[in-house]
Amino acid sequence: MSDLTCLNCSGKRCVVQDAHVGEDDENKERGNWSSKTDYILSTIGYAVGLGNIWRFPYLAYKNGGGAFLIPYFLMLLLAGLPLFFMESALGQFCSQGPINVWRAVPLLQGVGVAMVLITLIVSFYYNVIIAYSLYYMFASFQYPLPWARCSDSGADNCTDPYTVLCNVSGVVISNWTQQNMSCPLPDQIQVQSQTPSEEYWDTVALRRSSGMDQTGTVVWHLALCLLLSSIIVGAVLIRGIKSSGKVVYFTATFPYVVIFILLIRGVTLEGVRDGIEYYIGTQSNLTKLLEAEVWKDAATQTFFSLSVGWGGVMTLASYNNFNNNMFKDSFIVCFTNAGTSVFAGFAIFSILGHMSFVYNKPVGEVVKEGFGLAFIAYPDALSQLPISPLWSVLFFFMLLTVGLDSQFAGIGILSVAGIYWVTLLDTFLGTWVLLIVGLLEVVGITYIYGGNRFVKDIEMMIGDKTFCFWLWWRACWFFISPCIIMVILVWSLMTFTPPSYGTVPYPGWAIALGWCISVFVLMWIPVIALYKFIKAPGSPWERLKSLCRPTEDWHPYLEKHRGERYSVENQPDKVDTNSICVISSSWL
């Protein structure tokens, strides 16, 4: 939180204001974005994350290539955009974050608490990923790249170049040529050796233990990188949105420059055609659209890549001017986010195509997902290029800026078992927990607060719209979006499998801990609802009705925007906020 300064205190009248509020800000207590561009770039930077670069390309390849774009953009229109628009409108209307937004539906204020907890816990491991990117960026300032060859202290099964070890008459021999990557007989395969990039990631960068039970000691080079990332985040936030809104001019645009440079470099390499064909070309498989898994992946990727359900969208929108056209902004951010995913895929697969050419292997055998793509497959491909340190520095600096845009606080897990914790938290918090929060959000606003009342609130900000204009959004909020989220949620729970890192399974206590973390986040929804129900006056039915109605302090933040609908005359018991101490907080 920024420094707070009391501007005027006399008797009982005291207004506490953010010390960094601009003179031209409409809201003199909380402040506003310095310009519309600050908000747009900040929101794009928040929405566009590492998943756009290392998850979407893999999903597109896995689910039919170009055919995957059909369900992906349909899910964007049916679920992603409606929820993003809803959260933006809620935050902007009341100029509050994800906790106080639920003054609209006091019964569900625990949803706001769950959002904050999700963001807090996810920030723990997101900062670790930023630290990984920092470490790899620093390691790239050497030639040859350290993962281009097996390290002296590496694993015994790391061979250079990529080798298959075969058991022939009881003797382990290596067998590798550009034309032959297999043993003479299938039953002779004993072990497939690690590539240098795999060995570097496991034994040098992570110093990965054999499992989550083996915690080990602190990896100091990662600890220092984590400290540096925290210092960078603190420097960006030192003046709140006034400083972060300027930093995003670089951090939100630089990744596009790097992606474009990598794409141009990639299309000049041999094998690029194979990579693009596998990603989104003639290898596209329209029959994949008949598989339910494809639609589930498309909806899940759309929902999570926009960062809805985290509370951040509401928070960023809460600093807008009241009459800002958040409807247009939502379209800009959502389609920029989707376009970034597609664009990044071309850059990724063009160079992976070259990697498959060098190794004389199908593209499908060099493609990896998540950490494997970002820290193993792509670094391996970059190490094959001329002037490889340059491309590697650019790539990991891009990952750093993308990560910083989405991360403004957090601490990390520093032991050699850290990668297991990152995967565990991502599995339990990054899937169905967010789906439950998102479902309660859309149902609470649409059915409890009232979809029509919410439409009138939006029209107070952007002006009256026609019935036909709202017909689509009502259809999405009342029926389509909740149904899609419900289907994904049920599907995710039915198909849940215990997480693993590569071939390393998680122990039972780790799985139990993952469920406990999920319960801890979600339990505040019924706990706070029950607490408010007990504290409310009247009969049980009267208490329930009161908790389903907006509180007296639910209204636009500034009195001049409240109009007749939220005037003091229409709410005679409402406290005048000008006569009490008001302390602003970005999340409240």
Side-chain angles (χ1 to χ4, degrees):
M1 187 185 296
S2 303
D3 294 335
L4 297 175
T5 301
C6 188
L7 297 182
N8 181 24
C9 290
S10 58
K12 295 183 178 180
R13 183 179 181 83
C14 176
V15 177
V16 181
Q17 178 173 319
D18 193 315
H20 303 299
V21 171
E23 294 182 359
D24 298 329
D25 288 350
E26 178 183 60
N27 192 323
K28 298 299 183 182
E29 296 176 5
R30 296 188 79 247
N32 299 104
W33 294 103
S34 298
S35 68
K36 178 68 168 285
T37 307
D38 289 10
Y39 167 68
I40 292 293
L41 290 178
S42 296
T43 310
I44 289 175
Y46 176 73
V48 175
L50 296 170
N52 297 75
I53 296 173
W54 70 24
R55 179 165 171 78
F56 175 84
Y58 174 82
L59 287 179
Y61 157 77
K62 167 190 170 187
N63 292 308
F68 182 70
L69 296 183
I70 297 175
Y72 178 70
F73 279 97
L74 277 177
M75 291 299 113
L76 176 66
L77 291 173
L78 296 175
L81 181 58
L83 264 69
F84 193 94
F85 180 28
M86 172 179 282
E87 289 197 0
S88 298
L90 282 170
Q92 181 173 311
F93 178 76
C94 64
S95 298
Q96 302 286 351
I99 292 181
N100 282 350
V101 153
W102 291 101
R103 292 170 178 170
V105 187
L107 184 68
L108 294 179
Q109 194 158 35
V111 173
V113 175
M115 288 179 173
V116 175
L117 288 175
I118 291 171
T119 300
L120 176 63
I121 297 174
V122 168
S123 72
F124 291 172
Y125 74 78
Y126 209 85
N127 219 24
V128 176
I129 300 174
I130 296 176
Y132 294 158
S133 302
L134 271 171
Y135 173 76
Y136 265 78
M137 185 184 72
F138 292 141
S140 299
F141 286 97
Q142 50 188 306
Y143 184 81
L145 291 172
W147 51 84
R149 298 288 183 267
C150 293
S151 66
D152 295 336
S153 59
D156 294 337
N157 67 332
C158 177
T159 54
D160 181 30
Y162 190 86
T163 305
V164 173
L165 301 180
C166 306
N167 186 340
V168 180
S169 301
V171 179
V172 177
I173 63 173
S174 62
N175 186 44
W176 184 90
T177 64
Q178 288 286 355
Q179 290 76 33
N180 185 7
M181 288 290 293
S182 60
C183 294
L185 295 175
D187 59 355
Q188 291 177 344
I189 295 179
Q190 177 177 348
V191 63
Q192 189 171 0
S193 65
Q194 282 188 313
T195 63
S197 61
E198 290 173 327
E199 181 261 345
Y200 186 85
W201 169 246
D202 281 339
T203 65
V204 179
L206 295 181
R207 297 182 187 173
R208 182 167 66 88
S209 62
S210 59
M212 202 167 179
D213 293 314
Q214 305 297 324
T215 302
T217 59
V218 171
V219 182
W220 286 107
H221 57 256
L222 293 181
L224 293 174
C225 288
L226 184 65
L227 175 62
L228 178 59
S229 69
S230 300
I231 292 173
I232 294 173
V233 171
V236 169
L237 292 176
I238 194 169
R239 294 188 64 241
I241 61 172
K242 298 302 182 185
S243 57
S244 66
K246 301 308 178 194
V247 173
V248 293
Y249 279 81
F250 174 75
T251 59
T253 57
F254 179 75
Y256 295 96
V257 176
V258 176
I259 292 173
F260 182 73
I261 292 173
L262 292 175
L263 176 60
I264 296 300
R265 184 66 184 97
V267 297
T268 64
L269 300 171
E270 293 181 287
V272 59
R273 182 173 181 178
D274 291 336
I276 300 301
E277 295 284 359
Y278 267 87
Y279 170 50
I280 209 168
T282 57
Q283 297 292 329
S284 297
N285 184 3
L286 290 174
T287 61
K288 281 279 189 178
L289 298 181
L290 300 177
E291 300 178 11
E293 183 75 16
V294 174
W295 293 86
K296 179 239 183 185
D297 283 347
T300 304
Q301 175 65 16
T302 300
F303 189 79
F304 298 132
S305 67
L306 290 174
S307 301
V308 292
W310 299 61
V313 174
M314 294 179 184
T315 302
L316 294 173
S318 71
Y319 292 103
N320 282 331
N321 291 328
F322 185 76
N323 295 117
N324 173 65
N325 190 339
M326 92 297 296
F327 171 74
K328 184 186 299 183
D329 297 343
S330 299
F331 267 89
I332 293 173
V333 173
C334 289
F335 282 95
T336 298
N337 178 74
T340 302
S341 298
V342 177
F343 183 42
F346 282 103
I348 297 293
F349 271 82
S350 62
I351 292 183
L352 290 181
H354 175 67
M355 182 180 175
S356 73
F357 172 81
V358 171
Y359 286 144
N360 194 32
K361 297 171 60 181
V363 176
E365 293 186 21
V366 301
V367 174
K368 295 180 182 292
E369 180 184 10
F371 291 105
L373 176 60
F375 297 106
I376 297 176
Y378 209 69
D380 192 2
L382 293 175
S383 69
Q384 310 298 323
L385 304 180
I387 326 178
S388 55
L390 172 63
W391 311 116
S392 186
V393 169
L394 286 175
F395 175 71
F396 288 109
F397 189 54
M398 174 191 67
L399 289 187
L400 173 64
T401 55
V402 168
L404 288 175
D405 272 340
S406 302
Q407 167 75 358
F408 292 111
I411 59 176
I413 301 161
L414 305 179
S415 70
V416 291
I419 190 64
Y420 299 111
W421 286 96
V422 169
T423 304
L424 180 73
L425 292 175
D426 184 63
T427 299
F428 283 94
L429 289 181
T431 51
W432 57 271
V433 173
L434 274 177
L435 289 171
I436 292 176
V437 170
L439 180 62
L440 290 175
E441 177 184 38
V442 68
V443 169
I445 296 300
T446 303
Y447 288 98
I448 301 179
Y449 178 71
N452 292 329
R453 176 190 287 177
F454 183 51
V455 166
K456 292 179 181 178
D457 291 343
I458 297 176
E459 289 184 334
M460 290 177 64
M461 296 182 283
I462 65 175
D464 294 339
K465 301 296 181 181
T466 64
F467 172 81
C468 293
F469 174 88
W470 289 116
L471 183 62
W472 169 255
W473 300 108
R474 283 190 172 103
C476 289
W477 290 333
F478 277 92
F479 180 71
I480 299 175
S481 297
C483 288
I484 289 175
I485 297 174
M486 179 63 75
V487 170
I488 300 172
L489 175 60
V490 173
W491 187 294
S492 299
L493 292 174
M494 290 177 59
T495 60
F496 175 81
T497 55
S500 63
Y501 181 78
T503 59
V504 180
Y506 277 68
W509 66 264
I511 304 298
L513 179 62
W515 286 111
C516 289
I517 293 173
S518 301
V519 171
F520 172 75
V521 170
L522 294 175
M523 75 176 188
W524 298 103
I525 300 174
V527 166
I528 293 178
L530 180 61
Y531 173 79
K532 286 181 173 292
F533 182 81
I534 294 173
K535 298 291 289 185
S539 65
W541 177 244
E542 290 172 340
R543 296 179 185 185
L544 181 61
K545 287 197 299 182
S546 68
L547 293 179
C548 293
R549 290 195 299 262
T551 63
E552 295 173 351
D553 51 359
W554 167 254
H555 49 60
Y557 197 92
L558 300 180
E559 187 173 354
K560 67 179 182 179
H561 295 312
R562 295 172 192 172
E564 184 177 350
R565 293 183 64 218
Y566 293 94
S567 63
V568 177
E569 289 76 14
N570 289 340
Q571 297 176 325
D573 297 329
K574 191 181 71 62
V575 178
D576 184 0
T577 57
N578 289 327
S579 63
I580 60 175
C581 289
V582 179
I583 300 180
S584 70
S585 169
S586 62
W587 281 97
L588 296 177

